[in-house]
Amino acid sequence: MKSDLFASENLAQAPSAPGMELQNAKSVKYTVNGEMLARQGAMIAFRGNLQFERKSQGIGGMLKRAVTGEGLALMAVRGQGEAWFAHQAGNCFIVDIEHGDALTINGRNVLCFDPTLSYEIKMVKGAGMTGGGLFNSVFTGYGKLALVCDGNPIIIPVTAQSPVYVDTDAVVGWSAQLETGLHRSQSVGSMIRGGSGEAVQLMLRGEGFVIVRPSEVTETPAAH
């Protein structure tokens, strides 16, 4: 059988070493030898002797997900084999996190990560309880973290002299040491009369960077 479908870049190769690598721009392959962690529902294929187990976050994590919808629901993958991960054909990226690094990522953009990484769901400081998506996952330790992004991300440097303001529905993540807060760009009167729809942004100040995706979150209508 002949087709461009069977081009070498589309073929899954034999595993070379444990850990993650990009299968292509839209998916990540993880060669498991022990354990790894992934977003629930992100596994698209696997081979080998692997077990998948939902990972509980405890009452606090469940509460945060119920309030914001932006928690990080995880599963543990254990055994020996290979697993492929993707989410809605989003673009995938692998970040190497080293000791001393701290990266804040929105739960909706996490795909999978090494078990050597630590994560904690934290409320975004200065963001209060309004606006949605204000609980993010902070990753520390060392290891690889795979992210998924709707489109090609924009990386914007942040400095103490030049804070950056981002839409809370478009932000992917940022350097965890940055100071955060909410910024209102419209007066109440203009909002009542019909403004731009971008009334409140997340403000980031300090030394670091912010990752923004070139689209806002759109809700998928529930099936009936």
Side-chain angles (χ1 to χ4, degrees), residues 29 110 119 173:
K29 181 177 83 168
V110 174
Y119 74 95

Side-chain angles (χ1 to χ4, degrees), residues 19-23 27-29 91-97 111-112 114 143-148:
M20 73 172 68
E21 59 184 305
L22 288 177
Q23 173 68 41
S27 63
V28 169
K29 181 177 83 168
N91 291 338
C92 296
F93 303 88
I94 294 176
V95 180
D96 276 295
I97 296 178
L111 194 61
C112 60
D114 290 339
K144 291 184 177 181
L145 166 67
L147 304 179
V148 61

Side-chain angles (χ1 to χ4, degrees), residues 85-157:
F85 300 94
H87 183 67
Q88 297 181 351
N91 291 338
C92 296
F93 303 88
I94 294 176
V95 180
D96 276 295
I97 296 178
E98 300 177 335
H99 284 295
D101 292 341
L103 183 62
T104 296
I105 295 293
N106 196 303
R108 63 179 172 241
N109 297 105
V110 174
L111 194 61
C112 60
F113 56 95
D114 290 339
T116 50
L117 286 173
S118 298
Y119 74 95
E120 183 180 2
I121 295 179
K122 290 187 175 181
M123 183 176 177
V124 178
K125 291 182 179 179
M129 289 294 292
T130 60
L134 300 180
F135 284 100
N136 278 10
S137 301
V138 180
F139 286 86
T140 56
Y142 71 96
K144 291 184 177 181
L145 166 67
L147 304 179
V148 61
C149 179
D150 183 10
N152 290 325
I154 305 161
I155 312 299
I156 306 174

Side-chain angles (χ1 to χ4, degrees), residues 23-36:
Q23 173 68 41
N24 53 43
K26 307 290 187 179
S27 63
V28 169
K29 181 177 83 168
Y30 200 112
T31 302
V32 185
N33 183 24
E35 180 180 297
M36 55 86 64

Side-chain angles (χ1 to χ4, degrees), residues 64-84:
K64 291 171 185 177
R65 288 202 301 276
V67 170
T68 69
E70 300 297 345
L72 178 56
L74 294 174
M75 62 181 177
V77 184
R78 300 186 179 95
Q80 284 74 41
E82 299 162 275
W84 285 264

Side-chain angles (χ1 to χ4, degrees), residues 104 122-128 134 136 138 158 163-166 168 171 173-183 201-207 209-210:
T104 296
K122 290 187 175 181
M123 183 176 177
V124 178
K125 291 182 179 179
L134 300 180
N136 278 10
V138 180
V158 181
V164 176
Y165 306 90
V166 297
T168 57
V171 66
W174 61 87
S175 308
Q177 71 271 19
L178 291 176
E179 176 189 349
T180 58
L182 285 185
H183 172 75
Q201 297 84 36
L202 180 68
M203 181 200 73
L204 301 115
R205 189 197 308 272
E207 297 293 333
F209 61 87
V210 58

